[in-house]
Amino acid sequence: MSPEAPTSEDVRWLRRCLELAHAAAAADEVPVGAVVVVDGVVVGEGRNRVEELRSPLAHAEMLALQQALVHAGNKRLANATLYCSLEPCFLCAGAILHARVDRVVFGASDPKFGAVRSLANVLEDPRLNHRCTVVAGVEAAASAELLRTFFRQKRGG
């Protein structure tokens, strides 16, 4: 994992991810939001819509990447940063690599499904042709609290 420190822009975009995550929670989806930024401009954003779209592919990161790729008119996202409120899962990490995203910045870690802080770190595996710079823990407390609150309410507590 890169020791790179978060910038003020990282905090700004992670806060946008949290707004999207709150919208996901309001729609009874797992509260995750994602934004793709290229040269300071949002080119894609999404929130979890798995239940709404009845698709296991409708993760916030996947939807944001799809929008960004359409915007780019290409299958690669040069100079792009993906911001997400929760550590990407293995499905999303694979898509991030294939889209050639340069940087990933996330809030809360996902100890159960995360693909960045796990032993099988997908984004920085030295066997891959493309690796991402990773910045973890930006707005982590707010991201983690949103998840805890969502699942506590789901469990009736």
Side-chain angles (χ1 to χ4, degrees):
M1 188 108 29
S2 170
E4 184 178 325
T7 66
S8 60
E9 285 296 295
D10 293 339
V11 172
R12 173 185 174 201
W13 296 121
L14 240 300
R15 289 182 178 160
R16 175 64 187 142
C17 292
L18 283 169
E19 291 172 12
L20 293 164
H22 279 282
D28 207 28
E29 297 275 0
V30 175
V32 180
V35 176
V36 179
V37 176
V38 177
D39 298 325
V41 176
V42 173
V43 294
E45 66 178 23
R47 64 164 178 83
N48 269 2
R49 296 177 65 195
V50 173
E51 302 299 326
E52 174 190 344
L53 299 178
R54 299 180 185 266
S55 171
L57 303 177
H59 291 209
E61 300 96 313
M62 299 288 281
L63 297 173
L65 285 171
Q66 288 171 1
Q67 230 182 57
L69 288 164
V70 168
H71 179 269
N74 196 338
K75 61 180 182 174
R76 302 284 188 254
L77 292 172
N79 302 315
T81 299
L82 172 75
Y83 295 92
C84 45
S85 58
L86 182 65
E87 176 183 2
C89 68
F90 284 87
L91 170 76
C92 295
I96 291 164
L97 287 173
H98 284 285
R100 299 293 197 261
V101 171
D102 291 325
R103 248 175 119 238
V104 173
V105 180
F106 68 87
S109 292
D110 187 343
K112 192 169 184 180
F113 298 108
V116 179
R117 290 199 155 176
S118 70
L119 293 175
N121 180 345
V122 176
L123 297 183
E124 293 183 331
D125 189 310
R127 297 170 293 182
L128 300 171
N129 292 330
H130 180 78
R131 286 180 294 284
C132 297
T133 300
V134 176
V135 180
V138 178
E139 296 293 307
S143 298
E145 183 55 33
L146 179 57
L147 283 166
R148 274 192 298 276
T149 300
F150 177 80
F151 285 112
R152 189 170 38 247
Q153 290 171 347
K154 286 298 231 184
R155 293 181 192 111

